[in-house]
Amino acid sequence: MTTRSKALAAVGCVVVVLGGGILAITLGVRYATRHVPGSSLLTIEVAGPIPETASDSPFGELFAPRTLSRQDYRDALVHAASDPKVLGVRVKIQEFSAGFATIQELRALLASVGKAGKATAAYLETAGEGTSGNAQYLLATGCKRIVLNPLGDVNVVGLGARTPFIRGTLDKLGIVPDFPGIGDYKSARFFYTEKDFTPAAREMTTWLLDSVTGQMVAGIAQGRGLTTAQAAMLVRRGPFLGPAALKEKLVDELADWGTFADSCATQGGRKLDEVSIRRYLKADRPDRSGAPIAVVVAEGEILRGENGYSPVPLFGGDVMGSETIARAWRQVRDSDARAAVFRINSPGGSAVASEIIRAEMAKTASKIPVVVSMGDVAASGGYWITCGASKVVADPGTITASIGVFSGHLDMTKFWDDKIGVTWGRIDTTPNGSMFGSVDPWTPEQRKVVQAYLERIYDSFLERVASSRKLTRGQVDDIGRGRVFTGEQAKERGLVDELGTFDDALAAAKQLAGLKADAAVELRFYPESRTLFERVMERDDARVRWEAMLNEAIAGRVITPGPVWMPPIRIR
């Protein structure tokens, strides 16, 4: 054997040994992550944003743990409730970002684990530090036991709403806003045209606050064994320093994290093995075999085109592309799915895009049952796309309806001439050639065109809602006019069929498909995960959106997602 041959043989041996070692380590880690001990404590930390579904990043968790989604928490807690290996659940609740409906869903899941006979305990370093702690505390009440750090507080202070208006800024700049709409309650346009709530907008925001407050109080009362009146009085008297919270029985104990963690780690004199939620999800998930049920996830502002992300301030965020969601519905129809759950979290946007999505969903609903599951918000266009479904289920705290329409235009003449000193040369070949610009005010004739455009969309909205909800156009108009409701209020008005969570919608889909309540199902999620190339292109799309918005802003044009859009209503 030559020297070179010996060297190659040696290198080969090293490669084989290293390869075998890596394989052994990989298999060992995989076994460790997929193996759940017989007496386990599921450990969960709720922190940061809670998206509807997990990121479909092609790099997975190579660089950092991916953000846990509502679906991740749901899968872990649904499985834990019936898993004999899991004897308890420990939850550390930090600052997190989620809508009220998402909080309700997670809280209900924690409560269901407790009802299954498992020990559930929540730890709060504090429920708000210089901020409201309504969300953290309400979520904690889903557990049987709540422990607070000795220096922590329970800042349950009730709810409020603060809405900015830029009319004063526009006045200073010499910009005249012109935002026609149908419905006194279609409040998106008031951001530009008013300096405070209109009477109708104030009335609407008040009834939303009252509804959500009532639901929060009921949740606290149920979780802490109080009467509704007692819970309401405590919320009215908040915030509470730690000792006061303990005295009022809002928490069960004041203790540091280590003491709390040790108390959860033993049960009946035996030590429990801690299993993180990430490890637990890798080991197994529920609803991965059985009768196929499609889940179409529609999240973000509704625009024509593909799913993506918009960086535009105020109007930006996740984009629900009509082409993406329409294609998903066609894929569902071509599959062997027995039923579909349409999970919606959207404030609306484009009327055309909304109708494209709705039509494809309705075609699917004519072949298999389609049950809508409303998340934090399903309003305006987000409600439009529910029309034609077999059943509509909303969380009590879902923000929904907003059956109305608006459009907008800024007269920038004085701004350019007086404030900036920019003058514009004007050449139009037709009377309406510059109608969609923002240099000049609308003429009376142009405003009539805009009004006809709005009436056409509103009439179409009324028609679709009336047909799907078995109401007259007049009845829909009476509860429409841009009014926004919680899911609880929407059910009272016949706009949704049932109050419940994603799992309640899934149960309804199974029933409509003729499946037994306890039938095993396989959830198949749509749209399908994007490829690496599509993710890279999405970044380019976001850049293009930003550049387009900047160019329009320079020209003075107002860009909103569309005429059937409701701006975010943030209740804290």
Side-chain angles (χ1 to χ4, degrees), residues 81-344:
S82 60
D83 188 351
K85 294 180 180 180
V86 175
L87 303 184
V89 175
R90 185 187 76 199
V91 187
K92 186 174 186 179
I93 301 174
Q94 305 274 39
E95 296 287 332
F96 66 87
S97 174
F100 194 72
T102 294
I103 297 169
Q104 288 181 319
E105 294 217 4
L106 297 185
R107 184 187 176 281
L109 289 165
L110 287 168
S112 69
V113 174
K115 289 177 183 177
K118 313 293 179 78
T120 57
Y123 186 79
L124 294 165
E125 291 179 338
T126 185
E129 186 171 15
T131 61
S132 167
N134 294 322
Q136 293 98 307
Y137 183 72
L138 179 61
L139 179 58
T141 62
C143 293
K144 296 178 180 178
R145 184 165 70 107
I146 302 176
V147 177
L148 179 69
N149 183 279
L151 202 59
D153 305 314
V154 176
N155 290 345
V156 175
V157 292
L159 302 174
R162 295 293 183 270
T163 299
F165 298 89
I166 66 167
R167 177 59 189 267
T169 303
L170 296 179
D171 287 347
K172 290 179 182 295
L173 294 174
I175 299 173
V176 181
D178 190 355
F179 280 75
I182 297 178
D184 291 341
Y185 298 89
K186 194 66 177 178
S187 59
R189 63 191 192 276
F190 301 149
F191 171 76
Y192 302 96
T193 63
E194 307 297 327
K195 294 183 179 180
D196 197 355
F197 289 110
T198 63
R202 185 174 294 278
E203 177 192 8
M204 180 177 70
T205 305
T206 299
W207 76 52
L208 289 172
L209 286 169
D210 288 344
S211 180
V212 176
T213 296
Q215 294 172 41
M216 183 179 75
V217 166
I220 292 172
Q222 181 188 51
R224 301 306 296 169
L226 304 170
T227 66
T228 302
Q230 288 172 326
M233 182 56 67
L234 287 170
V235 170
R236 190 172 185 82
R237 287 173 47 207
F240 297 91
L241 301 180
L246 180 63
K247 181 180 178 181
E248 298 290 352
K249 299 182 180 179
L250 289 170
V251 300
D252 299 291
E253 185 182 347
L254 301 179
D256 60 50
W257 168 254
T259 302
F260 168 76
D262 289 343
S263 70
C264 296
T266 58
Q267 192 175 116
R270 60 177 168 174
K271 183 79 171 173
L272 302 182
D273 291 294
E274 294 186 10
V275 178
S276 72
I277 184 174
R278 296 179 188 279
R279 176 181 168 188
Y280 192 60
L281 289 170
K282 288 178 180 177
D284 197 11
R285 286 181 185 254
D287 306 319
R288 291 300 182 265
S289 64
I293 301 287
V295 180
V296 177
V297 179
E299 186 170 25
E301 290 159 349
I302 304 173
L303 297 176
R304 289 178 292 119
E306 301 289 346
N307 276 9
Y309 180 82
S310 173
V312 179
L314 182 63
F315 310 123
D318 289 324
V319 170
M320 182 201 310
S322 58
E323 289 299 318
T324 303
I325 305 302
R327 182 168 57 250
W329 282 118
R330 290 192 292 269
Q331 291 169 342
V332 171
R333 290 201 298 275
D334 291 339
S335 73
D336 59 348
R338 299 282 299 274
V341 175
F342 192 15
R343 179 70 178 186
I344 300 172

Side-chain angles (χ1 to χ4, degrees), residues 455-495:
E455 289 174 359
R456 179 191 181 204
I457 295 174
Y458 187 63
D459 286 346
S460 297
F461 207 161
L462 293 182
E463 178 185 339
R464 282 151 181 76
V465 175
S467 176
S468 65
R469 303 310 307 168
K470 295 180 173 56
L471 299 169
T472 66
R473 288 168 61 93
Q475 288 173 320
V476 178
D477 185 45
D478 287 342
I479 58 180
R481 315 299 294 182
R483 290 178 178 86
V484 179
F485 304 110
T486 63
E488 182 178 61
Q489 295 167 328
K491 184 177 185 301
E492 293 171 356
R493 290 160 175 79
L495 295 178

Side-chain angles (χ1 to χ4, degrees), residues 505-550:
L506 176 59
K510 290 166 68 173
Q511 181 183 31
L512 290 173
L515 299 171
K516 294 182 179 179
D518 59 352
V521 297
E522 176 191 356
L523 298 184
R524 298 177 182 172
F525 289 85
Y526 300 83
E528 297 172 346
S529 297
R530 286 163 287 182
T531 65
L532 174 58
F533 177 75
E534 289 170 332
R535 296 285 292 183
V536 171
M537 291 304 294
E538 179 184 307
R539 288 180 171 238
D540 287 342
D541 289 343
R543 178 180 56 79
V544 170
R545 289 180 192 277
W546 174 257
E547 290 175 352
M549 178 267 179
L550 190 60

